[in-house]
Amino acid sequence: GYRQRNQDLKHLSPLQLVEHFLNHGIYETRHWNAKASLLDRRFAWAIYSSKDVHLNIQVQAVAHVYHYDVLCSLLPYLRTLARLGTKIYFFVSNEKLESCVLDELIDSLYTGACKHEWYRVENHGEDWSSFHEAYRRDLFRHEGITYKIQTKKSSNLGADGGLAWIDEALGPICGNQNAVSTTLEKLVVDTNAIAASAAVARSGFGANPSLVENLIRKTCSLPPNKYSNSKFASGAMFAMRNSIASNFYAKLGNIDYTQKFEEGSVYCGRFIGHVLERAFFYHALDLSGCGDNDHGISWI
């Protein structure tokens, strides 16, 4: 099969073919049989989409790493993205995670398409701070799509530490190649600003929306607007066009992620994150020129 799929190697013996695949072919995204589709995103997209819109689109994922056990539970989703050519950036705020462990994790996701990267970041207790760091590292400079993935546990989400909820949110949007393809089509063909899992279409961890609105006024130069009563994707997972993220952080400016508010005890989570999530949602709707609550966001 490997010889048939790669005519330039037809002169090699069976043993030489095996050696070539192990030493070179797997890194060159060559196929070893007619059905193999994991190492070349062109074949993978062809299976699930009649459109060629995905082939020239840069796709990346930014994952904020708090807990290694949660991160491990997300490996099936990360592999789905990686084998379709997605470059994954890990922003690690857990100082106990050793470099060798993170290097091995990245190596396990390598498919020959691209090398993934990880960086140490200060732990401000909020994945939006690492997303801000991604902006500072110019990760949104290319026109393309970015998946936002977080790996935190939330005590208010059940005895399992929120794992079931994370799984519920991730499944519909990047649980398989078809889901990823659908998400990209929504963002590229339908020109939505954000694609998010319908499983998290709610007001956000049960936080008091009026307090979030007040904190937006205190924290950001992005005031609450006509979308303040609309549903939005909170927390775990969404995908967006890079231009949305770049525009948002450019307008947002510097944020003190360590600031405290007396109202904080009312929240079920990290309130700076609630503020930025909702402010980002409003900003995306405005930037996409939407006239009502349902446009600009594609629920997957």
Side-chain angles (χ1 to χ4, degrees):
Y2 189 57
R3 181 188 283 115
Q4 292 174 351
R5 291 294 302 272
N6 300 277
Q7 289 297 302
D8 59 317
L9 306 178
K10 62 182 181 180
H11 63 285
L12 299 181
S13 70
L15 181 58
Q16 289 173 326
L17 286 168
V18 172
E19 291 176 340
H20 184 277
F21 178 73
L22 294 177
N23 294 323
H24 306 286
I26 193 170
Y27 303 109
E28 298 170 0
T29 65
R30 291 178 182 253
H31 289 254
W32 63 273
N33 68 27
K35 295 182 179 180
S37 62
L38 301 185
L39 297 179
D40 192 329
R41 67 188 303 214
R42 292 173 299 172
F43 288 92
W45 291 133
I47 293 173
Y48 292 103
S49 177
S50 60
K51 305 179 181 69
D52 286 335
V53 296
H54 307 325
L55 301 185
N56 297 315
I57 297 169
Q58 185 178 67
V59 184
Q60 61 188 15
V62 176
H64 188 144
V65 180
Y66 295 103
H67 306 285
Y68 190 69
D69 57 332
V70 181
L71 179 63
C72 290
S73 75
L74 300 181
L75 284 178
Y77 304 111
L78 295 173
R79 288 195 180 105
T80 297
L81 293 172
R83 69 177 178 239
L84 295 179
T86 302
K87 185 176 181 66
I88 303 173
Y89 297 92
F90 297 94
F91 287 83
V92 184
S93 59
N94 186 343
E95 297 179 355
K96 295 181 180 180
L97 282 178
E98 297 183 6
S99 299
C100 60
V101 173
L102 295 165
D103 290 337
E104 289 180 1
L105 171 69
I106 286 178
D107 289 343
S108 73
L109 294 172
Y110 183 63
T111 63
C114 58
K115 294 288 285 185
H116 311 295
E117 300 175 23
W118 68 270
Y119 302 97
R120 295 278 185 193
V121 297
E122 291 187 37
N123 185 9
H124 295 312
E126 184 48 58
D127 63 310
W128 280 90
S129 64
S130 67
F131 227 50
H132 212 154
E133 180 67 21
Y135 168 74
R136 295 189 186 100
R137 292 179 181 271
D138 210 19
L139 299 190
F140 306 117
R141 66 186 180 276
H142 301 293
E143 185 56 42
I145 306 300
T146 295
Y147 280 83
K148 171 186 175 288
I149 302 174
Q150 66 186 40
T151 63
K152 69 181 180 183
K153 300 178 181 179
S154 298
S155 59
N156 63 302
L157 296 175
D160 62 350
L163 285 179
W165 177 75
I166 291 175
D167 184 75
E168 179 185 64
L170 283 167
I173 198 168
C174 69
N176 54 54
Q177 294 181 24
N178 188 37
V180 176
S181 183
T182 300
T183 300
L184 293 181
E185 285 184 8
K186 291 294 185 181
L187 289 170
V188 179
V189 178
D190 300 335
T191 62
N192 293 101
I194 300 174
S197 169
V200 291
R202 53 186 175 181
S203 60
F205 298 115
N208 186 318
S210 64
L211 290 179
V212 175
E213 302 288 331
N214 291 335
L215 285 176
I216 289 178
R217 294 186 181 92
K218 293 180 181 179
T219 309
C220 315
S221 59
L222 302 168
N225 59 14
K226 58 187 175 182
Y227 303 114
S228 59
N229 293 321
S230 61
K231 64 183 180 179
F232 77 110
S234 63
M237 179 72 197
F238 59 77
M240 64 188 172
R241 284 185 279 130
N242 290 349
S243 57
I244 300 289
S246 182
N247 192 294
F248 174 74
Y249 282 104
K251 187 174 182 180
L252 182 65
N254 292 323
I255 288 289
D256 180 8
Y257 289 93
T258 64
Q259 63 185 309
K260 306 294 183 181
F261 294 95
E262 293 180 359
E263 308 101 305
S265 60
V266 180
Y267 292 86
C268 299
R270 299 171 176 89
F271 38 87
I272 295 298
H274 293 316
V275 170
L276 294 187
E277 277 178 343
R278 196 175 285 264
F280 177 84
F281 175 76
Y282 297 160
H283 176 72
L285 290 177
D286 277 340
L287 204 61
S288 58
C290 304
D292 59 63
N293 295 342
D294 293 328
H295 291 171
I297 307 297
S298 179
W299 301 102
I300 305 299

